[in-house]
Amino acid sequence: MEPGAARVGHGAAAAGWLVRVMVPPQGLELDNLTLMHAARDAVDCPEQLELLLDRVPRPRRISRAVRAAGLPLLSGVDLAYHLLWKGALLFDPGHLLTPATTVWRAAGPGVPA
């Protein structure tokens, strides 16, 4: 352990904290995070976000939800990625995020849209 890391470890232990080294995302995880991050700041369109979210009452492909909401495919996919970034929609992160990805609503009230 490097001297600086040892000091951080001792200080954290004295404060009752647990320090862990996290491995940066790579591969598929990094690709998916990059796509969602690019859509994190969706255009100010809360009505479209709610409309899209309402079209996912059960697991559904992103492209089908976008079509059901009557939104243009490209902007609708961006809105879906934004909802994934916010945690209002979920997907299996073990698969590449595409318009064909199956998504579902996050459980619980107060999930941000």
Side-chain angles (χ1 to χ4, degrees):
M1 188 181 285
E2 295 180 31
R7 282 193 290 267
V8 169
H10 290 297
W17 298 345
L18 176 63
V19 176
R20 66 184 175 127
V21 176
M22 297 181 65
V23 177
Q26 300 174 8
L28 185 61
E29 183 183 13
L30 179 59
D31 293 343
N32 288 339
L33 284 172
T34 301
L35 287 169
M36 289 187 297
H37 182 264
R40 73 189 180 281
D41 296 323
V43 189
D44 186 24
C45 50
E47 307 84 24
Q48 290 181 337
L49 289 170
E50 283 298 324
L51 181 64
L52 182 56
L53 197 55
D54 288 344
R55 297 309 182 264
V56 186
R58 62 189 181 292
R60 187 174 211 178
R61 289 183 177 200
I62 291 173
S63 58
R64 289 188 177 167
V66 168
R67 257 194 315 268
L71 300 171
L73 183 62
L74 294 179
S75 61
V77 169
D78 277 350
L79 292 175
Y81 289 1
H82 175 77
L83 290 170
L84 287 164
W85 178 261
K86 291 291 208 172
L89 289 177
L90 302 173
F91 77 110
D92 179 354
H95 293 91
L96 181 62
L97 185 57
T98 71
T101 298
T102 298
V103 295
W104 55 91
R105 289 182 76 145
V111 174

